Amino acid sequence: MDKANTTQVRRNAGAILLLFFGLTLAAIVAQTWWAIVQDKELTLASERENGLVAVRLLQEHASQTLQDAERKILSVTQAVQSNTDNMAQDEVQLRAFVHDKVLDDGAIKALQFINRDGVAWVTSRDFTPHHNDVSNRPDVKYLLLHPETLDSVIGHPFQSRYDSQWVMPVLRNLFDRQGKWLGLISADVRVSYFGAVYARAAKDNDATAALFANNGFVIVRSPFEARYVNRDISSSAVLQQLADGDAEGSFSHEDFLDDEKARLYTYRKIPGFPITTVYGRDLETILTPWKSRSQDRILFAAAIIALLGMLTFYLSYYVNKLHHNKTRLRESENKFIGLFQQSPLPLALLNVEKDYLIEANHVFLHQFGYEREELVRVPASHQQLWHTNDAHTAYHHLLHKHEVVEKMEVDLQHKDGSRITCLISSRMFSVGGQTMVIFSPLDITNQRLIENEIRDLNQELEQRVRNRTQKLEQTNQELAHTLHSLQDMQKDLIHAEKMAALGSLVTGVAHELNTPLGNSMTMVSSMVTDTQNLLRTMEERTLRRSELETFLSDGLDGANALVTNLARAAELVSSFKQVAVDQASNLARHFELRKVLEEMVLTSAPLYRNLNIKLEMHLQPEIYMYSYPGAVSQALSNFITNALNHGFENRDHGKMTLSCQLINDEEVEVVFTDDGCGIPIAHLGRVFDPFFTTKMGQGSNGLGMHIVYNQVTALLGGEIDIDSEEGVGTTVRMVLPLTAPALRQAQSEKLETVISADG
């Protein structure tokens, strides 16, 4: 029956382990899938934000260019309307007004006056004025048929007849000061002016940028191809979607603008003009980092699942082994009971707390003439086993003191009242939370009757002296070994604490170095790109003085930024290098106290820089010490770490203060304070105790302040005390000699050696 129960328990344990593994596996898979989905959404959201920034810049450029064209048209209109002559009868004078308004403008290629018959007088700085019949252009037809239209109209792009350059017309009706319709005035905007800007925006990110009219034709698309200019896209479903949408937004499409890749587009409508600008990036490129991260997450989850499977397997193995050991233990218990009962020595089990016999073997019962029921579970006060109560008391005193009794000679009593001299041997042990004793009274009555009572007494005393001497020597050896082990453990713990502090410093300094080095890489990349663009412009012989000046100005700014960032990185590396050497080697050297404290504060700054916690320093300069800077740095590191982990726990702000000053010619005072939550009075007296911490099991081992206390008092030869008030803060004060005692002694011995040699 017991074997069947054991098998069932083992099966139940296996089922529970499998259930635990299954639930944990499901949780890991679900969490990994959720993280991948969330990461993809965040990646696309970030790309949308970046795209909106780019498209806003493109929209601003296009809006400014179109507004310049309108202002050019309005300047002609105002000049015409300010003239008192009859402009309707003098087309030559109208052409002169138009010619006078033509300037060397990078965006506006030409101005056109179009008479009511659709004949245009084209004026430009690039070619000589000439006539051109434009009556067949849709935009011109519309305004000639609707002279009452007062708003500007954006026309379809077309190629200039003079040099085949693509231009986009901006037209509106022209009236004289009496309101009589004179014809049309048109400003032709260079499409290449948009294309250059859009090409720069698209090139850096392998993107597509485009400008198109809301009624369905493309103005410019980058990468630029002439076949895309004036492309009809009026049948695209995207146009209807954008027409019904917000002023700006995003959408995904696989073949918008005849693109061969699925892209994520962001768009923005130009206020005041029926034009929209779009910016799109390849979805495959956008999601490549996400796919890499997802693969890493899946691999990590697979590793965790594999580790979990291994742990489950080993746990199942050890559970089975535990059940097996339990069965063997039960068998051993049965064997022990058999040996106990069949032993040739008198044996009994005692319950120490309740002071009664739990069990006695047959030899024991026969020796004292009792039946089992007369002794087992009967309190000692109701038994007649002990000859005197003093012997009973002495036995229990010795047993509780040493947990073992070896051959204690005691007079016990037979059931018939006769005295029995016994040598009692006992061992105390615990079973199931109960303290028990194995009790063996060996009858030596006949031996003691033969021996001389006085000689027996002397021998017994001598034996006791030898036993106690042997135990004392053994105890001393064990204490010496324990002391040596504790000293080795203390050295290991101090080394581990230093390495842990250095690990924290490495993490913080690495995080702090990331910003200046990242900024430097960004600036260098930008300078390389600008230099390549300048070289390309020089090779094309289109370099302008303004572009060269801009390049030199940007290069100087970039160089200054590089110097600042690299100087910051060098300062961090230098400070960390000195602190790491001091803490790792713990060597003595001459140093200025303020410099050591400032370097430690600088390397510890990443721990609280983003926590709205400040550290103020009031450090007296030119305090020179010959001591151990590593111990000083480690003490300050512990103060800062304890303030952040304990004093400012669950707080979003705080202040720490560090000061040092000479108090006499041989000592310096270092004070560290914080305005955190303080230390309870019950804990204040135990701050320097080893292994005392309020966060045991949460990353703290309770050795930090104990190691600081030992190094300050022993290595540095100083004093340290701590004062705190709950709700107000904590103050730690160190008084240190300018020269460590061990170093002062070494200097004295060296001086005595020199004097002796000279003598």
Side-chain angles (χ1 to χ4, degrees):
M1 186 65 181
D2 292 340
K3 188 173 183 180
N5 290 337
T6 302
T7 303
Q8 185 62 37
V9 170
R10 189 179 304 172
R11 290 176 179 174
N12 292 339
I16 292 174
L17 286 175
L18 288 176
L19 178 61
F20 169 76
F21 176 76
L23 293 176
T24 307
L25 176 63
I28 292 174
V29 172
Q31 194 278 335
T32 302
W33 178 255
W34 179 85
I36 291 173
V37 172
Q38 291 295 313
D39 189 12
K40 181 178 181 181
E41 293 179 357
L42 290 175
T43 300
L44 293 177
S46 175
E47 182 60 30
R48 290 188 186 97
E49 291 297 326
N50 294 335
L52 286 175
V53 172
V55 82
R56 288 168 186 163
L57 294 175
L58 297 176
Q59 175 264 322
E60 182 65 25
H61 174 267
S63 179
Q64 185 64 43
T65 303
L66 293 174
Q67 290 175 3
D68 289 344
E70 279 209 332
R71 282 193 291 270
K72 183 74 69 176
I73 294 173
L74 289 176
S75 65
V76 175
T77 301
Q78 291 172 356
V80 169
Q81 292 179 352
S82 63
N83 194 289
T84 58
D85 297 335
N86 186 3
M87 303 296 294
Q89 303 299 326
D90 193 353
E91 187 173 316
V92 175
Q93 189 174 0
L94 283 173
R95 296 173 184 173
F97 275 112
V98 173
H99 186 272
D100 290 341
K101 295 300 179 180
V102 175
L103 299 175
D104 188 8
D105 194 311
I108 308 302
K109 179 177 180 62
L111 285 178
Q112 298 186 39
F113 167 71
I114 304 171
N115 62 24
R116 287 172 289 187
D117 296 327
V119 178
W121 174 258
V122 184
T123 305
S124 174
R125 296 293 184 183
D126 296 343
F127 46 80
T128 57
H130 61 276
H131 286 92
N132 189 18
D133 186 3
V134 295
S135 59
N136 60 337
R137 280 173 30 195
D139 47 349
V140 174
K141 286 182 179 180
Y142 175 80
L143 288 180
L144 291 177
L145 294 175
H146 301 85
E148 71 281 0
T149 301
L150 301 179
D151 295 331
S152 297
V153 174
I154 304 298
H156 287 255
F158 63 89
Q159 286 183 294
S160 172
R161 294 178 60 186
Y162 186 82
D163 55 9
S164 299
Q165 287 189 5
W166 284 95
V167 294
M168 180 191 70
V170 180
L171 311 90
R172 71 183 300 160
N173 284 311
L174 180 64
F175 303 90
D176 62 10
R177 65 185 302 171
Q178 287 81 25
K180 187 174 181 179
W181 181 50
L182 303 177
L184 311 180
I185 186 72
S186 172
D188 296 340
V189 181
R190 302 176 193 266
V191 172
S192 62
Y193 189 71
F194 296 111
V197 175
Y198 281 48
R200 288 196 299 271
K203 179 180 179 181
D204 294 339
N205 295 308
D206 189 23
T208 295
L211 190 70
F212 60 86
N214 294 349
N215 57 352
F217 61 86
V218 177
I219 298 173
V220 65
R221 176 192 180 275
S222 181
F224 179 80
E225 293 185 31
R227 63 192 179 93
Y228 287 108
V229 181
N230 203 27
R231 173 70 62 87
D232 184 9
I233 59 172
S234 58
S235 60
S236 174
V238 175
L239 285 184
Q240 183 61 39
Q241 178 183 347
L242 297 182
D244 299 335
D246 298 330
E248 66 177 13
S250 64
F251 63 92
S252 299
H253 207 273
E254 296 182 355
D255 56 0
F256 183 57
L257 299 179
D258 293 339
D259 208 329
E260 298 177 353
K261 299 179 180 179
R263 294 184 183 269
L264 175 64
Y265 292 93
T266 52
Y267 71 90
R268 184 173 176 84
K269 301 176 182 178
I270 300 179
F273 297 95
I275 295 177
T276 299
T277 180
V278 294
Y279 177 84
R281 285 195 65 202
D282 178 17
L283 279 172
E284 184 67 25
T285 302
I286 296 172
L287 294 178
T288 295
W290 168 77
K291 291 180 179 179
S292 177
R293 292 193 300 271
S294 299
Q295 184 178 5
D296 292 341
R297 284 192 174 96
I298 293 173
L299 291 177
F300 179 75
I304 294 297
I305 291 172
L307 178 61
L308 181 62
M310 293 175 60
L311 291 176
T312 304
F313 171 77
Y314 283 115
L315 186 58
S316 176
Y317 170 76
Y318 282 113
V319 167
N320 291 332
K321 188 175 181 180
L322 180 62
H323 284 295
H324 179 68
N325 291 338
K326 184 177 180 181
T327 302
R328 294 181 60 186
L329 180 61
R330 186 177 292 108
E331 293 175 353
S332 299
E333 182 180 353
N334 294 331
K335 292 179 181 179
F336 169 76
I337 293 174
L339 291 173
F340 179 81
Q341 291 294 340
Q342 300 300 324
S343 173
L345 299 176
L347 297 174
L349 283 176
L350 278 70
N351 187 313
V352 177
E353 298 176 354
K354 298 182 180 180
D355 195 18
Y356 62 71
L357 292 177
I358 298 175
E359 190 58 79
N361 67 356
H362 300 297
V363 177
F364 185 94
L365 295 174
H366 177 72
Q367 179 173 299
F368 293 99
Y370 286 97
E371 296 294 333
R372 183 177 182 278
E373 293 77 9
E374 295 176 316
L375 287 179
V376 174
R377 300 193 180 276
V378 176
S381 59
H382 297 154
Q383 298 174 359
Q384 301 299 323
L385 191 62
W386 294 88
H387 184 67
T388 63
N389 290 331
D390 292 340
H392 186 201
T393 303
Y395 166 76
H396 276 280
H397 176 73
L398 187 63
L399 182 64
H400 284 289
K401 183 177 182 180
H402 300 288
E403 297 185 355
V404 60
V405 175
E406 292 288 351
K407 297 181 180 180
M408 176 182 178
E409 186 171 341
V410 176
D411 288 336
L412 300 180
Q413 188 168 285
H414 195 272
K415 182 179 179 181
D416 59 10
S418 60
R419 182 183 300 180
I420 302 176
T421 302
C422 297
L423 284 180
I424 297 178
S425 297
S426 299
R427 293 289 188 276
M428 186 180 292
F429 60 94
S430 295
V431 176
Q434 293 184 351
T435 303
M436 298 183 183
V437 174
I438 183 74
F439 180 75
S440 178
L442 183 62
D443 186 1
I444 60 171
T445 304
N446 294 331
Q447 296 177 20
R448 291 296 180 262
L449 291 175
I450 298 172
E451 296 175 357
N452 185 283
E453 184 176 357
I454 297 176
R455 187 178 59 188
D456 289 345
L457 178 59
N458 290 335
Q459 290 177 353
E460 182 182 355
L461 290 174
E462 290 174 0
Q463 184 64 33
R464 288 185 179 183
V465 170
R466 284 194 295 270
N467 290 341
R468 290 183 179 180
T469 302
Q470 182 180 0
K471 290 181 180 179
L472 182 59
E473 290 176 353
Q474 182 179 358
T475 301
N476 288 336
Q477 291 177 358
E478 292 176 353
L479 288 174
H481 179 71
T482 302
L483 178 60
H484 181 71
S485 298
L486 288 174
Q487 290 173 345
D488 291 342
M489 183 182 297
Q490 185 181 30
K491 292 179 182 178
D492 293 340
L493 290 174
I494 290 174
H495 181 72
E497 187 72 13
K498 289 179 180 180
M499 293 302 100
L502 285 178
S504 178
L505 289 178
V506 169
T507 302
V509 170
H511 182 271
E512 192 72 9
L513 281 173
N514 187 54
T515 298
L517 294 181
N519 292 340
S520 299
M521 286 297 299
T522 301
M523 186 57 65
V524 168
S525 299
S526 177
M527 293 174 67
V528 169
T529 301
D530 291 342
T531 303
Q532 293 174 346
N533 292 336
L534 182 66
L535 290 174
R536 188 184 307 110
T537 305
M538 292 177 63
E539 291 173 356
E540 295 173 357
R541 299 184 180 277
T542 59
L543 179 63
R544 299 180 180 178
R545 179 183 181 90
S546 60
E547 292 177 344
L548 181 59
E549 291 175 348
T550 300
F551 171 78
L552 293 175
S553 176
D554 292 345
L556 180 59
D557 292 342
N560 291 334
L562 281 174
V563 170
T564 301
N565 282 290
L566 294 177
R568 172 61 177 167
E571 181 183 8
L572 285 170
V573 171
S574 176
S575 299
F576 171 73
K577 178 182 178 182
Q578 188 60 61
V579 170
V581 169
D582 287 341
Q583 290 199 17
S585 62
N586 209 20
L587 298 177
R589 64 180 176 89
H590 295 276
F591 61 91
E592 183 184 8
L593 179 59
R594 182 176 70 169
K595 184 177 180 181
V596 169
L597 296 179
E598 288 177 342
E599 289 175 344
M600 189 63 228
V601 169
L602 179 62
T603 56
S604 299
L607 299 176
Y608 58 85
R609 184 181 305 279
N610 299 322
L611 300 179
N612 196 23
I613 295 175
K614 307 298 181 182
L615 192 152
E616 296 181 359
M617 293 186 289
H618 307 285
L619 307 178
Q620 180 179 338
E622 298 182 358
I623 300 178
Y624 296 98
M625 300 180 66
Y626 181 40
S627 189
Y628 300 90
V632 177
S633 298
Q634 186 176 2
L636 178 57
S637 176
N638 271 274
F639 299 160
I640 294 174
T641 302
N642 285 341
L644 296 175
N645 293 341
H646 299 278
F648 298 120
E649 186 179 19
N650 299 324
R651 292 196 176 191
D652 57 355
H653 67 282
K655 184 178 79 172
M656 300 177 289
T657 305
L658 176 65
S659 64
C660 69
Q661 61 179 359
L662 284 172
I663 55 178
N664 53 49
D665 293 338
E666 296 182 354
E667 294 179 313
V668 61
E669 178 187 58
V670 180
V671 180
F672 178 85
T673 64
D674 67 72
D675 61 353
C677 63
I679 303 174
I681 296 178
H683 297 166
L684 191 59
R686 302 178 61 193
V687 170
F688 298 118
D689 291 348
F691 303 105
F692 173 75
T693 176
T694 59
K695 291 189 175 182
M696 185 63 71
Q698 303 178 30
S700 177
N701 57 18
L703 291 172
M705 292 301 290
H706 175 66
I707 292 174
V708 169
Y709 179 84
N710 287 339
Q711 291 196 333
V712 170
T713 57
L715 184 63
L716 300 178
E719 300 175 356
I720 181 172
D721 59 68
I722 186 169
D723 185 30
S724 182
E725 182 178 352
E726 289 191 73
V728 177
T730 302
T731 299
V732 184
R733 178 176 179 268
M734 295 189 299
V735 177
L736 307 175
L738 297 180
T739 301
L743 302 177
R744 185 185 297 112
Q745 182 179 358
Q747 287 179 333
S748 300
E749 293 175 354
K750 184 177 181 181
L751 181 60
E752 291 176 359
T753 302
V754 172
I755 294 174
S756 299
D758 293 339

